[in-house]
């Protein structure tokens, strides 16, 4: 008896093919920074005539600009330079953390065009209040973006804790549980901007977005598989595998701050005891160094100043945190075998003191041959690797995937 034949996939219609090809061309220009029509045609495998037609549509929609003369690098006449537009489509990212809110707007090339940060103590405040404050900062950033002729296609929220389906399932340091953050923020932003098109809003874990920013803007293209650890009041983590973010079965992969080091250790806000966060988080670092744990960014700057001056208590606090980081990271490296471990957030500026003990622990505890001390695999994040920028860039990725869809939505 013959089995039923596999049904044929439906043929893509002309509009679908053209939208796909528009994305191919826009990404080719985006990835090169500047190029020519001929070079794009060679890269994407379309005819020059087809590429020229697609380029004209992208120019008309405001995604690309064309100017000047250059040689294409191939035989034939010189071609004009294509670049991603500095006006037009853009992305907005809003990072909400325990003691600050940062809003970032990037253009199609991923360049920061607007950045606002306000240091706020969000602990104990009602979630709706925190999200309304964040919406107010975002609204000011969007006004500044519009003055630069940028038209953000959407907003991504970068949130601490367990984030899925638009909700913060749990953010222990904020005291949030089952908070519909995405809807609350969208409602607040829409109320602040009557008469303007409501922007789509999405949400994601802040460490995931910082890791994506490191991947896209960190300038280390050779590292496509790395573990990213973000030090703030909480300690977050994310794993990038082959250039893709590992989310886990429920979207919660990377909660390295709640790996237990000592079951009899200090209680953690997550409900467990002895978590990494209680030894290497911002509050623990400042408290152990004899600095007001609630002093935020100023306290971290003071910690760094004291460490540079050789203050014994500050150096000891950082050494203990580095040792504990190394112990947890060694387990992750044994399990995942990343090319690099990237430390971001407050760890970026504190790496000179964190790195030696952490690297020593890794060298001692990682399976022989997988880690060598001083290899450079433990390193600081780039200045561009922050969650707000990653959040904004995620919106830009949507435009790159479907520039025709962005142009359609913008014209409504």
């Amino acid at each position: 008896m013959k089995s039923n034949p596999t049904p044929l996939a439906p043929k893509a219609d002309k509009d679908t093919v053209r939208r796909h090809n528009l994305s191919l061309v826009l990404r080719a220009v985006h990835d090169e920074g500047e190029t020519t029509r001929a070079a794009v045609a060679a890269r994407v495998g379309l005819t020059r005539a087809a590429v020229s037609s697609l380029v004209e549509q992208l120019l008309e929609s405001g995604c690309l600009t064309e100017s000047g003369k250059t040689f294409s690098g191939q035989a034939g006449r010189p071609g004009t330079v294509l670049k991603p537009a500095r006006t037009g489509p853009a992305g907005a990212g809003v990072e909400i953390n325990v003691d600050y809110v940062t809003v970032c707007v990037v253009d199609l090339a991923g360049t920061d065009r607007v950045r606002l940060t306000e240091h706020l103590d969000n602990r104990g405040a009602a979630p709706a209040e925190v999200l309304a404050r964040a919406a107010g900062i975002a609204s000011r950033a969007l006004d500044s973006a519009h003055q630069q002729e940028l038209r953000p296609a959407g907003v991504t929220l970068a949130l601490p804790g367990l984030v899925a389906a638009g909700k913060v399932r749990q953010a222990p340091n904020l005291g949030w549980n089952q908070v519909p953050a995405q809807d609350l923020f969208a409602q607040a932003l829409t109320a602040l901007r009557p008469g303007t098109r409501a922007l789509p809003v999405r949400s994601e874990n802040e460490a995931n977005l910082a890791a994506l920013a490191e991947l896209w803007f960190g300038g280390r293209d050779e590292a496509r598989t790395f573990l990213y650890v973000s030090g703030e009041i909480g300690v977050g983590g994310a794993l990038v595998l082959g250039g893709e973010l590992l989310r886990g079965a429920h979207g919660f992969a990377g909660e390295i701050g709640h790996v237990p080091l000592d079951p009899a250790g200090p209680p953690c806000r997550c409900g467990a005891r002895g978590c990494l966060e209680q030894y290497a988080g911002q509050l623990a670092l400042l408290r152990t160094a004899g600095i007001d744990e609630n002093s935020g960014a100023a306290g971290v700057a003071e910690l760094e100043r004291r460490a540079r001056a050789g203050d014994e208590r500050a150096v000891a606090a950082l050494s203990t945190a580095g040792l504990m980081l190394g112990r947890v990271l060694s387990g992750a490296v044994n399990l995942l075998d990343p090319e690099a471990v990237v430390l971001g957030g407050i760890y970026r500026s504190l790496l000179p003191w964190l790195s030696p003990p952490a690297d020593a622990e890794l060298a001692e505890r990682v399976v022989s041959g997988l880690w060598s001390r001083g290899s450079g695999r433990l390193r600081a994040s780039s200045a561009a690797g922050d969650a707000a920028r990653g959040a904004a860039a995620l919106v830009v990725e949507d435009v790159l995937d479907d520039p025709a869809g962005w142009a359609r939505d913008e014209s409504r």
Side-chain angles (χ1 to χ4, degrees):
M1 182 178 175
K2 289 185 178 180
S3 60
N4 291 330
T6 303
L8 296 175
K11 291 184 178 180
D13 58 35
K14 288 183 179 180
D15 180 62
T16 301
V17 171
R18 187 169 185 83
R19 289 175 72 159
H20 172 73
N21 288 340
L22 279 168
S23 175
L24 280 180
V25 170
L26 182 57
R27 279 195 177 277
V29 178
H30 172 271
D31 293 348
E32 292 296 324
E34 62 177 55
T35 187
T36 64
R37 298 183 189 215
V40 170
R43 173 169 175 164
V44 302
L46 297 172
T47 66
R48 293 193 185 190
V51 166
S52 286
S53 173
L54 295 164
V55 165
E56 291 301 326
Q57 187 172 340
L58 290 167
L59 290 169
E60 183 178 351
S61 67
C63 292
L64 295 179
T65 59
E66 190 172 35
S67 63
K69 293 283 184 179
T70 185
F71 287 97
S72 66
Q74 301 173 354
R77 297 170 58 189
T80 52
V81 177
L82 293 170
K83 296 181 181 180
R86 282 185 55 79
T87 58
V94 179
E95 180 184 3
I96 299 174
N97 223 305
V98 177
D99 55 354
Y100 66 88
V101 173
T102 292
V103 180
C104 175
V105 178
V106 301
D107 60 24
L108 203 58
T111 304
D112 269 23
R113 301 291 295 278
V114 181
R115 180 172 285 267
L116 301 176
T117 296
E118 289 196 12
H119 294 281
L120 306 161
D121 188 354
N122 294 320
R123 288 168 291 188
E129 179 185 344
V130 174
L131 290 157
R133 276 189 235 156
I137 302 167
S139 184
R140 297 202 305 273
L142 291 171
D143 286 342
S144 180
H146 283 294
Q147 289 169 10
Q148 299 179 55
E149 298 183 56
L150 292 166
R151 303 194 296 279
V155 180
T156 303
L157 295 180
L159 300 163
L162 305 181
V163 182
K167 289 185 177 181
V168 177
R169 301 300 175 90
Q170 185 183 35
N173 291 307
L174 279 173
W176 290 10
N177 289 284
Q178 301 298 329
V179 174
Q182 194 168 293
D183 288 345
L184 290 172
F185 176 87
Q187 291 163 11
L189 185 63
T190 300
L192 289 168
R193 304 182 66 77
T196 63
R197 181 170 68 88
L199 294 176
V201 177
R202 73 170 77 175
S203 54
E204 177 62 88
N205 172 267
E206 55 87 18
N208 284 350
L209 292 167
L212 288 176
E214 184 68 21
L215 175 70
W216 293 331
F217 306 114
R220 300 189 180 105
D221 292 339
E222 73 280 3
R224 306 285 291 170
T225 296
F226 60 90
L227 177 64
Y228 182 93
V229 181
S230 173
E232 302 287 352
I233 287 179
V235 178
L239 181 66
V240 175
L241 292 174
E244 298 290 335
L245 191 66
L246 176 69
R247 297 182 180 277
H250 304 95
F252 302 148
E255 288 295 318
I256 198 167
H258 297 290
V259 172
L261 281 158
D262 180 1
C268 182
R269 290 177 185 269
C270 73
R273 300 185 74 93
C275 295
L276 173 63
E277 195 171 284
Q278 299 306 308
Y279 301 96
Q282 179 176 308
L283 298 183
L285 269 169
L286 296 180
R287 183 171 58 248
T288 307
I291 300 170
D292 178 9
E293 65 181 48
N294 295 313
S295 54
V300 175
E302 176 63 13
L303 174 61
E304 183 180 352
R305 187 195 68 77
R306 292 187 189 184
R308 289 192 185 283
D311 179 84
E312 290 185 6
R313 193 168 178 184
V315 172
L318 288 164
S319 180
T320 298
L323 183 142
M324 295 302 196
L325 268 171
R327 288 183 182 173
V328 169
L329 291 172
S330 63
V333 170
N334 278 327
L335 183 65
L336 303 167
D337 187 25
E339 297 171 69
V341 175
V342 181
L343 300 184
I346 66 169
Y347 294 156
R348 182 172 179 268
S349 62
L350 300 174
L351 193 67
W353 300 277
L354 295 170
S355 180
D359 208 15
E361 284 292 306
L362 282 157
E364 179 180 343
R365 297 176 183 276
V366 170
V367 172
S368 179
L370 284 185
W371 193 277
S372 58
R373 191 171 181 178
S375 64
R377 289 172 65 191
L378 180 66
R379 61 202 193 198
S381 68
S382 72
D386 71 272
R389 192 177 190 196
L394 202 60
V395 177
V396 168
E397 282 292 303
D398 288 342
V399 178
L400 295 175
D401 281 342
D402 187 15
W406 173 80
R408 181 200 61 225
D409 292 343
E410 189 64 21
S411 66
R412 287 177 178 173

